Amino acid sequence: MGVKGFAGGLIVLGVALGLYGWRAWNPVAFVGLALAVLGAVVLITGRRGRGPTPGA
């Protein structure tokens, strides 16, 4: 599993928990929102190329 797969899993899990928490009036909706945002951040900031690591 690469970075894109991990980020996608976080987003899917976050959306699922957010929908469940919203429908059940449960605070887990906030955890789902946080996971979805974290997944989006990981997806956006993930390295796009396989070039050498700067400074190495």
Side-chain angles (χ1 to χ4, degrees), residues 8-48:
L10 281 179
I11 292 171
V12 169
L13 182 64
V15 169
L17 286 176
L19 290 175
Y20 169 75
W22 177 65
R23 287 185 50 90
W25 290 93
N26 194 324
V28 77
F30 294 110
V31 174
L33 178 64
L35 284 177
V37 168
L38 181 63
V41 167
V42 168
L43 190 62
I44 291 169
T45 61
R47 286 183 17 170
R48 297 183 191 268

